[in-house]
């Protein structure tokens, strides 16, 4: 077939934008998806990256987004989900149950809804990749809720992969390195992975899923971009 068609969800965030730009530079046809039409306008720069407005709050909303994403290039072959909503930094004892439910809805259920709707609709050789973080394994000061959601997200991707019987494949890519994205350019250090390099790595996974077996993969350094891990994938 021709060029792969990649739908990037959360394409207005630092990592999502990096994936969209990096994948487009690597030759994929990219559809950038997000909730905010005004922020998506940044892609109206003649690059050829298409845009689609929508959200992942419910399965019905995801289905509408999916159907809209079919139009620019006649279909979607792969999906990258880079959706993580910002939340407050405070001790767990300071959170109310209602606030924690909101964190759960915007950081975990968004991925859950997208997977349920989109994974079965991808082609047989398709791929769905969710972006996770290293805080699944450690806790930053006053950010335990983030670690809780990242750990739950990782187990969710493992669960979907374990239950999957044929069809499109599913991976989670955990970003262990700090990422040099739009909002961190001024403080980024040379060894940080560039946002567009995350896009390059996503492309490598899509192109060769048998090498990047997963279902849980880790990107730890710039030297690793586009290369498989040495025995570190998590079943």
């Amino acid at each position: 077939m021709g060029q792969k068609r990649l739908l990037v969800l959360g394409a207005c965030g630092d990592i999502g934008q990096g994936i969209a730009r990096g994948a487009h530079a690597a030759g994929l046809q990219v559809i950038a998806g997000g909730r905010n039409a005004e922020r998506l306008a940044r892609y109206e720069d003649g690059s050829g990256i298409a845009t689609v407005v929508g959200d992942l709050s419910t399965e019905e909303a995801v289905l509408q987004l999916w159907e809209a994403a079919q139009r620019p290039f006649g279909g979607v072959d792969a999906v990258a989900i880079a959706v993580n909503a910002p939340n407050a930094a405070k001790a767990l004892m300071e959170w109310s149950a209602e606030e924690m439910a909101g964190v759960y809805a915007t950081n975990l259920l968004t991925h859950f809804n997208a997977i349920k709707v989109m994974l079965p609709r991808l082609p047989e050789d398709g791929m769905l990749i969710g972006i996770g973080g290293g805080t699944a394994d450690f806790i930053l000061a006053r950010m335990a809720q983030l670690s809780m959601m990242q750990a739950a997200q990782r187990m969710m991707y493992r669960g979907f992969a374990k239950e999957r019987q044929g069809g499109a494949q599913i991976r989670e890519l955990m970003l262990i390195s700090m990422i040099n994205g739009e909002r961190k350019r001024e403080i980024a250090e040379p060894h940080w992975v560039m946002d567009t390099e995350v896009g390059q790595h996503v492309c490598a996974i899509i192109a060769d899923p048998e090498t990047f077996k997963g279902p849980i993969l880790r990107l730890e350094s710039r030297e690793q971009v586009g290369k498989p891990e040495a025995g570190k994938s998590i079943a």
Side-chain angles (χ1 to χ4, degrees):
M1 67 178 293
Q3 292 173 288
K4 290 280 188 179
R5 300 160 296 188
L6 173 66
L7 170 61
V8 181
L9 301 173
C12 293
D14 278 12
I15 293 171
Q17 183 175 188
I19 293 173
R21 300 288 188 192
H24 183 262
L28 273 66
Q29 292 181 319
V30 175
I31 306 106
R35 295 179 300 169
N36 190 311
E38 185 175 334
R39 294 183 66 190
L40 282 172
R42 70 184 62 192
Y43 291 104
E44 296 174 3
D45 55 5
S47 66
I49 295 176
T51 60
V52 60
V53 180
D55 68 75
L56 311 180
S57 59
T58 65
E59 290 183 40
E60 292 76 15
V62 175
L63 182 57
Q64 290 180 11
L65 191 158
W66 171 260
E67 291 174 345
Q70 308 305 302
R71 299 180 190 125
F73 303 116
V76 171
D77 302 300
V79 176
I81 309 172
V83 175
N84 290 104
N87 47 81
K90 57 184 180 181
L92 282 177
M93 290 293 284
E94 298 173 7
W95 286 87
S96 70
E98 292 76 14
E99 289 173 326
M100 191 61 74
V103 175
Y104 175 82
T106 54
N107 286 273
L108 189 65
L109 286 184
T110 45
H111 285 252
F112 179 77
N113 292 334
I115 294 167
K116 281 197 68 180
V117 171
M118 296 187 178
L119 186 60
R121 289 175 167 81
L122 284 166
E124 287 286 314
D125 61 348
M127 172 70 73
L128 186 148
I129 302 174
I131 304 300
T135 52
D137 292 315
F138 62 87
I139 297 175
L140 297 171
R142 299 172 65 80
M143 291 296 288
Q145 83 286 350
L146 177 61
S147 297
M148 291 163 57
M149 297 305 147
Q150 287 293 335
Q153 180 178 306
R154 178 170 62 189
M155 292 304 293
M156 182 179 67
Y157 275 86
R158 288 179 70 182
F160 273 113
K162 189 175 183 65
E163 294 173 0
R164 190 75 176 148
Q165 299 293 326
Q169 299 190 47
I170 183 170
R171 302 283 188 274
E172 182 188 49
L173 175 61
M174 295 178 63
L175 303 180
I176 310 303
S177 167
M178 292 293 290
I179 305 299
N180 181 348
E182 184 178 60
R183 290 177 293 180
K184 294 183 178 177
R185 298 279 190 236
E186 294 183 0
I187 63 169
E189 299 182 19
H191 65 277
W192 290 15
V193 171
M194 292 291 298
D195 51 358
T196 52
E197 290 175 331
V198 178
Q200 294 172 28
H201 201 69
V202 165
C203 289
I205 298 168
I206 293 169
D208 191 2
E210 292 308 308
T211 296
F212 296 86
K213 286 186 178 297
I216 308 301
L217 303 166
R218 296 161 60 94
L219 180 58
E220 302 188 36
S221 69
R222 299 192 73 181
E223 290 72 26
Q224 188 198 335
V225 172
K227 302 174 184 176
E229 301 168 72
K232 291 185 179 178
S233 64
I234 305 171

